Amino acid sequence: MALRRGFYRWLIPAAFVLPLWLFVGWIVFGANPLSLLWVLLSAPIVLIGQLILTLLVRARPTARAEQAVSWTDLALIGGWNVLIVALGIFSNPWWWALFALTVVVGFVALVAAFQQLWREARPAGSLLRTPAGVGYVPAPAARPETVPDAEVIVVRENGASSAS
């Protein structure tokens, strides 16, 4: 749980640290000037993509209640973050394959985040949470028994006068 909570806190700083890392990696590893074009194109995409993923994760009720990401988020978004860090090394002979894999994993993370949000947004029942984050299903509210209106039958005796 501590790992998932720590990653939940990392999501917003990652949106700014990862694009910055691409610039720093380009400088530190002495990549060619043409690589700067890829950095200039991909850094804004990483920034916007990470912010969108962060908003999708933080929009989920379970993530807000637990202050933690799901294991799926940790695997996909965490993997995407690791691939972005690997892209910033630039001395990798497999850079283009790594770039393609980063794009695919980023897209899969986006789709998975949408699916999780959609699944949790559907009204499937009530799940309440205690302040400690423990979920429970509330007991159904006690409804007062409604007595159906009794049928009223008027019986008149013979010879009785009506009081009209």
Side-chain angles (χ1 to χ4, degrees), residues 24-48:
V24 170
W26 179 77
I27 294 168
V28 168
F29 293 103
N32 62 26
L34 187 59
S35 297
L36 179 61
L37 177 66
W38 286 107
V39 171
L40 291 174
L41 291 175
S42 61
I45 294 171
V46 170
L47 171 77
I48 293 168

Side-chain angles (χ1 to χ4, degrees), residues 72-143:
T72 305
D73 293 331
L74 183 65
L76 290 174
I77 300 172
W80 188 57
N81 290 349
V82 168
L83 287 170
I84 290 170
V85 170
L87 276 178
I89 296 176
F90 288 104
S91 62
N92 188 348
W94 295 92
W95 194 88
W96 285 105
L98 189 64
F99 180 77
L101 182 63
T102 304
V103 170
V104 169
V105 171
F107 181 74
V108 170
L110 183 67
V111 169
F114 269 121
Q115 285 178 340
Q116 290 179 58
L117 179 62
W118 181 258
R119 188 174 38 244
E120 289 186 26
R122 286 186 302 183
S126 295
L127 179 67
L128 300 178
R129 301 212 176 258
T130 63
V134 177
Y136 66 94
V137 177
R143 297 182 191 167

Side-chain angles (χ1 to χ4, degrees), residues 4-29:
R4 292 179 19 209
R5 284 187 178 174
F7 193 75
Y8 182 83
R9 290 183 189 99
W10 160 251
L11 289 175
I12 290 177
F16 301 101
V17 170
L18 292 174
L20 182 63
W21 163 248
L22 291 174
F23 285 108
V24 170
W26 179 77
I27 294 168
V28 168
F29 293 103

